[in-house]
Amino acid sequence: MALLPILRYPDPRLHKVAAPVAEVDDTIRQLIDDMAETMYEAPGIGLAATQVDVHKRVVVIDVSEERNELLALVNPRIVARSGEQVCEEGCLSVPGVYDKVSRAEHVTVEALGRDGEPLRLEADDLLAVCIQHEIDHLDGKVFVEYLSLLKQNRIKTKLAKKARITA
Ligand code: NI
């Protein structure tokens, strides 16, 4: 396994739309394992392949307290959504920035698992938020794009400053 570098907003590669995975083969399973290791090490509760500059529809998620319930979703698709919840979100690609985003409260997701088998999942609360956040990444969307343009510009300035300091 290997740790993968995570793209930082406002990197334009975060806005690429990821392509569907044709087959869950060893390359995809290796990607899932590397993404999981990267997510746990960060640490974060979700990571989309887009964030590690691989533009395939793969996400890993673990919202459990013990960090032992890895969920890998290939070609995830929300087939039903209902309700509304506002949650303070953060993102490994936007370090140090947290803000409220409104999302569906419940979602039903269809995807392929790490074994290539189709799965269907009902999610609510934090898991529902996380799934919507990660699928957004696959569509080239970062959560800060739900915020006002003023806030987005402030975040860009803040992260640009930070990049200069750490570079
Ligand atoms: Ni994110």
Side-chain angles (χ1 to χ4, degrees), residues 147-163:
L147 309 178
S148 68
L149 283 177
L150 179 68
K151 278 190 178 174
Q152 289 182 47
N153 285 330
R154 272 194 203 137
I155 291 165
K156 279 180 193 163
T157 308
K158 180 178 165 181
L159 292 185
K161 246 182 227 159
K162 209 190 249 174

Side-chain angles (χ1 to χ4, degrees), residues 46-48 51 90-94 133-134 137 142-143:
L47 188 69
Q51 293 176 273
C91 179
L92 292 176
S93 292
V94 197
H133 177 119
E134 302 312 331
H137 275 303
V142 180
F143 87 98

